[in-house]
Structures are given as structure tokens and as C-alpha cells.
Amino acid sequence: MGRWLLRRTAQAIATLVLTIVLLFFLSHVLPGDPLSRLGEGRPLTAAETETLRARYGLDRPLRSQLGSFLAGLARGDLGTSIEYGRPVSALIAERLPATLLLGGTVLLLNFTVGLWLGVRQAVRRGSAEDRWLTTLSLVGYATPSFWLGLVLAWLVGVEWRLLPAAGMRDPLVDGGILAGTADVLRHLVLPALTLSVVSIAGTMRYQRDAMLDTLRLPYIVTARAKGLSPARVTWRHAWRNALFPVLTLFGLWLPVLVTGSVFVESVFAWPGLGSLAAAAVGNRDYPLLMGASVLVAVIVVLANLLTDLAYATLDPRVRLT
Amino acid sequence: MTRVLDVRDLSVSFPAADGRRFHPVDGVSLTLDRGETLALVGESGCGKSLTSLALLRLVPAPGRVDAGSVIRLGDTDVLALKGEALRRIRGRRIGMIFQDPMTSLNPVFTAGDQIAEGIRAHFRVSKSEARARALRLLEEVGIPDPEERLDAYPHQLSGGMRQRVMIAIALAAEPEILVADEPTTALDVTVQAQILEVLDRLRRSRGMAVLLITHDLGIVAGRADRVAVMYAGQIVEEAGTAELFAHPSHPYTQGLFASVPRITGPLRRLTPIRGTVPPPTEWPSGCRFRPRCPQAFDKSVLAPELMPVGPGHRMRCWLAEEPAAQVELSRRSG
């Protein structure tokens, strides 16, 4: 186990380095230049442009730029944002908590409600409940998040005034931690719900199919013939095995939830990473863009490592050598 | 002899596409006494496995046991049981062994876990006590190094070893009946004999009744006390094993014997039964074996009942009524 983890971690690091190098070149292949926007009010003179290019190192060959980026990365320094003029790490650190809160909530809902509904459907296959949930999950899966977000924000937030439709904190709410937390949670409901609908719908379908496949297997008959209770057969014998395909889904969802919520973030003015990264692409803000990309790459690699680890822990047939 | 199982007119039906129901098991009656082995023989698709699943009410949905069927375990009316009462007889009154030990064991739990689970489903014992009993069961089914095998996962065991674990699971709650559904079909020939040996030994030492389901007449001789031959959802012939082997009477049974190679006796050509078992939706009226039967005659268009042909020997064939045909029949088979 120790050796396997060591080797797998080394692999993960190699993947990460390769991805970062690739991302670096890809971001610089984009047409356009970070400085082209700085002169929007008044055209920059050639001398001014030269000074700025030298300041951000844009005058040096790409390979040497990569070298200093990697050197900085090794020290934990992601450079300075061209657009904001502040350290990239500080910008990301500001936005990260909001993203983690939203993504974490959605992930939690997804892997509790989604799994539970999927298992329930499989156990009651063919019932009215199963058919209804199937219809609902297809509708949910087909609903675009940004549209659902807009509808919810308008209906629940604006028309009914039940929940705040934008932001993460109400500046007028002050007082203790309790009031502050309650305020954040109220703001969290709509964006989390919007993102959860699609992801829960997907997980449900996946879990239902995986569960149906497992329930057909002979060892389920063995478990029932032993005289186990229906709940034990469902959860201990069937679900333990039907969890594996869904674990893969977890590995795929994790990065999407951290970054893929750009639309939902902008609909609800949620101060997360997605909107920051999207802006960085538009501005050709190379350091910020790379900072966000590195973060995503780390999360993707980590999510896969975690999935493999979960497989290895849960499935005795996966040999750790 | 104590009767431990009494099945009468057992029918299992499934809905067909056209809204009617078809009956893959159609009016099967059989009995088992304590310590006895009954072999249920037939080709695949004849309803043997479904019959055995019905005993524990494990017929897969949307199938169901039809009204009018009777399954009695001693004094227990199995078809009247629900929920917890039904759960309590599964494993406890009847233990089951299935055909393929590769897929019949849960891949994510150890052998010990899967045996102990069956023990704790029926007895209030501690985990360590259940584990100790599981260890004794592994010894009983003849697994070498049982201590180590207790913590082995199914994929770490050989086929024969897995089937022994299966048997240990079936024995976990000390049932009085063991149902073995093609227990050796998926195994090597050498391992087959060992597994059958284990089953025989357990039957004797525990005084269990065994229902041995097989398509292989070769493993029936010397192991079963009685044989019931099934075809197309019905029992077509039943007799004591010696009687059946000496005087196979139903054309289907004779066909089964003619298609089994023998080491002793004069050299002869194997004659397979022509055709295959039709699916339950296409069973003919009258005698169901009629389309494949070399001896079918005018009366075969009517459905025969089980009729006596000898001591404790009955068959579902009109030839039983025709003394002339019967003489002809015994002359040919003798």
C-alpha cells in the first residue's frame, strides 16, 4: 500500500508538471496580448509598451518565461496579475472559499440525495415512483443551469422575495457569527440548488443503472437465500458493488464543480473562482489565467488520485502493487 | 421417515408480451424425507432452477408462484409467509448452493464475512462466535488452511474452493434441507467428484435432506435415493434411482440415457435427443415431448398424467397404458 501510494503520487506529480507546461503554451497561443487592453483610454506609445513588456517579462522568449513561471511555482509564487496588479495567489485565495463552499455543498447534495434516489429507483424498478423519478431526472439533466438559475433568481428572489438572489453576504446584516452564517447559508440556497439539479439528475441515472446491473447478479440471490433483510441485501451486498461506477463519476464531477459554475456564479453574482478565471481568459491575463489553470489541474489530478485510492480501499480485487 | 418438504402442484408463471401468463413450472409435486437425496434431472430450460428458487420464494420478478401451489416445510406453509417470517426460513430451513461459484459469492467480502453473516442472520451470537463457527464450517467442508481462507476474498480462491465456501454459507444456519442447483457444472471433473463427496458426507453427518438439481445423469447414480426427471416444466418420470436406471420408461428419460457415454457395456453410437427444449411460450398441447419423441403416437395429442409403470415408478406418457408398448419398451431398454 505504501509503495503503491508513493508510485501513484509520483505519477500524479509528473502528470501535473506536464499539464502545466502544456497549459502554459496553450494560453500563450491564444491570439491577443495582455497589454492591448491597457491602452484603451489612450494609445500607448511604443516606449511605454516596451517598458510594460519588460516589466511583465513578455519581451523574453516563451521558453525563458516558462522557466521563470515554473521557478516561481516551485516557491509557491504564482506571479502578479496584469489586470489587477495584485499577487495571483492573493486573488485566488480571496475567491477560493466561496467556490469551495458552493462546490462542496453541491457535491454533498449530489452524493447523498443522488445516490439515495438512484438506489431507491433501482430497488423499485418499474413502479410509478421509478417512472416519475426517471422523468424528473431527465428533465433535470436537460435543464440548462444558467436558465434555471435565472428563473429561480427571478421567481424566488425577486418576485416572492423568499431568498436573496445575488451575492454571498448581505452588507446590512451584522452581528455575531450565527447571524453571519445564517446569512451566507440563505445566499447559498439558490446557486447550490441550481447546480445540484443537473448533477443530482446525472448521478441518479448513473446509480440506478449501476444498481440494476448489480441486482441482477447471482450473489444477490445468494444473499437473499441466506435470509438477510432486504435493507442489508440492498445496501451491503448490492450498493457496495454498485458504488464503483459512480466513484468514477465523482472523480469527473469534482473539478467541474470547482470551475464549471461560471454561468451560475455570474447569474447569482457569487464571488467564486469561475468568474475570475473567465475574466482572466478575456483579458489575456496570463499570470492569473495560469494560476487558475494550475489550481484546476491540481484538483483534477488529486480527484483522480482520490478515486483510485477509494477503489483500492473498497474493492479487494484491485491489487496495490 | 420424517417428511421435511412437501411440494404439490407448484406452478410458477411469468407475464408474456401478449398479456397472458406462461408457466415455466407447471404443476410440479415432489417430497423429501429427512436424510434423503432426491435428484431433479433435466435439460436447461426445463424449469428445475425455477422450481428450487420457488421453494424459498426467490422467483425473480415479474414471475410469481401461482395460486393453488403448495409448499410445506414440515408444518410451515411457505406460501403464506411474509416479510420477517419469510426471511427467517431462508437459509435456516433450506440452504442453497448455486451453479457458478465465481458469481455467486460477493466479490467485496471475505469468505469468513459471508459465512458469518449467514450465521448472524439467524442466531444471536457475537461476531467472534460467528467467526469461530465459520471457521468450523470451513473445516467441515474440507478447506485446507481454513484459518487463512477465512480472510480470503473470493477472487483469491479456486473454483472448487469457492464452491466449498458456498456450501459453508448454505450450512451456516444449520438447515434441514440443502438445495444444490447444478453444484458441479462449472467445475473441473476432478473437483466435481470432491464436491459431491462433501455433499454426501454432510448429508450423512447432519441428517439433512438434499435436493440435487442436475442435467447430468452421470452424477445421480450412487448418490440419489430417488430421481425425478423434468421436461418442459413438468415432472415426466419419477422412481427410485436403481429402478430408474434399470427401467428408464419415458421416451425422454431413455433419450437422456442414450445421450450419455458409458465406459462399460458394448460399444454403441451416442444418440442425442433431436431438437431442443422449446421456450415455455411455445410448449405444445398434449404431451409436451411429442414433437421430439421418436415414439409419439395418436394418443400423444392428449396431455398425459403421471401413471404407474412399476413399483414406486411413475411416468407422464400414454405408453404406460399400453401393455404391448410397455413390453416392447422394456425389451428394448433391457
Side-chain angles (χ1 to χ4, degrees):
Chain A
M1 183 83 179
R3 259 189 60 206
W4 176 85
L5 197 60
L6 210 68
R7 220 186 57 198
R8 195 63 191 71
T9 310
Q11 268 176 13
I13 290 172
T15 312
L16 204 57
V17 172
L18 211 69
T19 313
I20 288 170
V21 171
L22 205 66
L23 280 169
F24 185 86
F25 284 115
L26 280 176
S27 65
H28 286 75
V29 163
L30 285 173
D33 180 279
L35 299 180
S36 54
R37 274 188 41 139
L38 285 181
E40 265 170 3
R42 160 187 78 82
L44 292 173
T45 64
E48 281 169 335
T49 310
E50 267 324 294
T51 317
L52 285 170
R53 286 181 71 83
R55 169 148 180 221
Y56 291 111
L58 298 173
D59 55 341
R60 287 152 50 209
L62 211 48
R63 267 182 26 219
S64 114
Q65 287 185 45
L66 173 65
S68 42
F69 174 75
L70 288 178
L73 193 62
R75 293 193 309 271
D77 178 8
L78 288 169
T80 306
S81 160
I82 297 173
E83 185 75 11
Y84 299 92
R86 295 175 51 207
V88 169
S89 46
L91 283 168
I92 288 179
E94 268 170 28
R95 300 291 194 107
L96 198 58
T99 289
L100 289 183
L101 179 64
L102 181 56
T105 307
V106 173
L107 206 64
L108 193 72
L109 283 175
N110 187 4
F111 280 89
T112 48
V113 180
L115 293 187
W116 183 70
L117 285 176
V119 170
R120 219 182 134 84
Q121 270 193 289
V123 171
R124 281 153 217 232
R125 177 193 40 177
S127 68
E129 182 184 342
D130 176 33
R131 288 198 300 275
W132 268 106
L133 284 172
T134 294
T135 310
L136 278 180
S137 67
L138 290 178
V139 169
Y141 200 68
T143 307
S145 295
F146 67 89
W147 178 83
L148 182 65
L150 283 173
V151 169
L152 283 177
W154 169 69
L155 213 62
V156 182
V158 180
E159 283 294 307
W160 300 342
R161 301 197 167 275
L162 288 176
L163 289 164
M168 185 168 141
R169 282 193 184 84
D170 189 337
L172 298 179
V173 170
D174 57 358
I177 292 175
L178 222 59
T181 311
D183 182 45
V184 171
L185 287 181
R186 273 163 51 79
H187 281 84
L188 179 64
V189 174
L190 289 184
L193 189 67
T194 306
L195 278 174
S196 295
V197 166
V198 182
S199 72
I200 286 179
T203 305
M204 249 169 94
R205 298 298 301 158
Y206 236 79
Q207 182 66 89
R208 178 182 182 272
D209 288 353
M211 194 70 185
L212 282 180
D213 284 346
T214 310
L215 285 173
R216 268 193 273 277
L217 296 173
Y219 60 75
I220 298 302
V221 184
T222 307
R224 293 176 68 204
K226 273 199 269 191
L228 303 182
S229 68
R232 204 173 162 88
V233 173
T234 302
W235 292 102
R236 193 174 137 89
H237 281 267
W239 185 65
R240 258 301 297 275
N241 285 285
L243 183 60
F244 298 125
V246 185
L247 270 182
T248 311
L249 197 65
F250 172 84
L252 297 174
W253 264 112
L254 193 61
V256 175
L257 286 177
V258 173
T259 59
S261 49
V262 179
F263 286 127
V264 173
E265 279 185 12
S266 52
V267 167
F268 292 102
W270 189 261
L273 270 177
S275 41
L276 188 72
V281 174
N283 298 337
R284 305 288 183 272
D285 191 344
Y286 293 146
L288 185 55
L289 183 54
M290 278 313 294
S293 306
V294 167
L295 185 72
V296 175
V298 168
I299 289 169
V300 172
V301 170
L302 215 60
N304 276 297
L305 191 61
L306 275 177
T307 310
D308 283 0
L309 203 63
Y311 262 107
T313 319
L314 292 173
D315 191 342
R317 287 162 299 182
V318 177
R319 293 260 53 83
L320 304 182
T321 47
Chain B
M1 272 295 169
T2 332
R3 178 130 310 169
V4 287
L5 175 70
D6 195 350
V7 176
R8 254 171 289 153
D9 293 324
L10 174 68
S11 294
V12 178
S13 66
F14 283 80
D18 61 5
R20 286 184 310 191
R21 298 188 76 84
F22 61 95
H23 302 263
V25 176
D26 194 1
V28 166
S29 298
L30 44 90
T31 59
L32 260 181
D33 290 339
R34 198 178 136 78
E36 180 189 42
T37 300
L38 170 68
L40 194 58
V41 180
E43 289 167 280
S44 16
C46 70
K48 324 178 286 268
S49 294
L50 211 47
T51 302
S52 71
L53 288 174
L55 300 182
L56 282 180
R57 301 265 303 276
L58 290 170
V59 171
R64 63 161 193 242
V65 174
D66 291 323
S69 308
V70 177
I71 300 173
R72 299 190 74 84
L73 281 171
D75 293 331
T76 315
D77 178 0
V78 175
L79 296 174
L81 299 178
K82 281 198 193 101
E84 179 63 12
L86 182 58
R87 183 193 75 69
R88 274 204 295 266
I89 67 153
R90 290 177 176 161
R92 182 74 183 92
R93 306 291 293 276
I94 301 183
M96 284 215 164
I97 306 165
F98 299 99
Q99 175 170 348
D100 187 357
M102 313 289 158
T103 54
S104 295
L105 292 173
N106 195 319
V108 301
F109 301 115
T110 62
D113 272 350
Q114 298 189 54
I115 302 168
E117 192 180 29
I119 297 170
R120 280 164 61 86
H122 297 283
F123 306 119
R124 290 173 156 262
V125 295
S126 67
K127 281 193 173 165
S128 57
E129 168 62 18
R131 194 179 149 86
R133 287 196 197 180
L135 181 66
R136 284 202 297 278
L137 282 167
L138 284 185
E139 282 165 5
E140 202 178 336
V141 297
I143 285 193
D145 305 321
E147 206 104 25
E148 266 174 57
R149 303 290 190 248
L150 208 55
D151 294 318
Y153 288 95
H155 72 273
Q156 295 165 325
L157 301 171
S158 68
M161 215 71 99
R162 284 184 225 190
Q163 197 58 299
R164 286 174 202 257
V165 171
M166 246 341 271
I167 297 173
I169 290 174
L171 294 178
E174 298 162 16
E176 61 227 22
I177 301 172
L178 194 62
V179 174
D181 185 358
E182 304 264 7
T184 59
T185 306
L187 303 174
D188 290 345
V189 184
T190 48
V191 183
Q192 282 186 7
Q194 294 170 9
I195 294 292
L196 291 168
E197 218 40 65
V198 171
L199 288 177
D200 229 25
R201 199 185 67 223
L202 289 167
R203 178 184 59 82
R204 281 197 304 273
S205 64
R206 291 181 168 237
M208 284 187 306
V210 175
L211 179 61
L212 178 64
I213 295 173
T214 179
H215 66 276
D216 184 357
L217 275 169
I219 70 170
V220 170
R223 290 210 170 74
D225 301 298
R226 288 183 297 128
V227 183
V229 180
M230 254 187 112
Y231 183 79
Q234 300 175 321
I235 289 179
V236 294
E237 183 167 9
E238 59 184 12
T241 309
E243 163 73 14
L244 187 98
F245 274 66
H247 308 289
S249 304
H250 195 285
Y252 177 61
T253 315
Q254 292 173 349
L256 285 181
F257 275 107
S259 54
V260 176
R262 292 199 196 186
I263 295 176
T264 56
L267 200 64
R268 65 193 170 99
R269 187 171 285 278
L270 288 180
T271 21
I273 305 175
R274 58 184 172 164
T276 53
V277 187
T281 42
E282 290 163 26
W283 286 344
S285 62
C287 172
R288 293 182 181 171
F289 189 54
R290 180 167 44 101
R292 300 173 70 189
C293 182
Q295 300 174 58
F297 62 115
D298 46 7
K299 211 167 177 184
S300 301
V301 295
L302 302 174
E305 294 293 311
L306 278 170
M307 292 171 273
V309 277
H313 189 168
R314 300 193 298 165
M315 72 164 167
R316 191 184 293 276
C317 176
W318 292 117
L319 289 175
E321 273 188 347
E322 312 262 321
Q326 220 176 324
V327 171
E328 161 76 1
L329 212 128
S330 55
R331 191 176 55 77
R332 207 182 316 158
S333 63

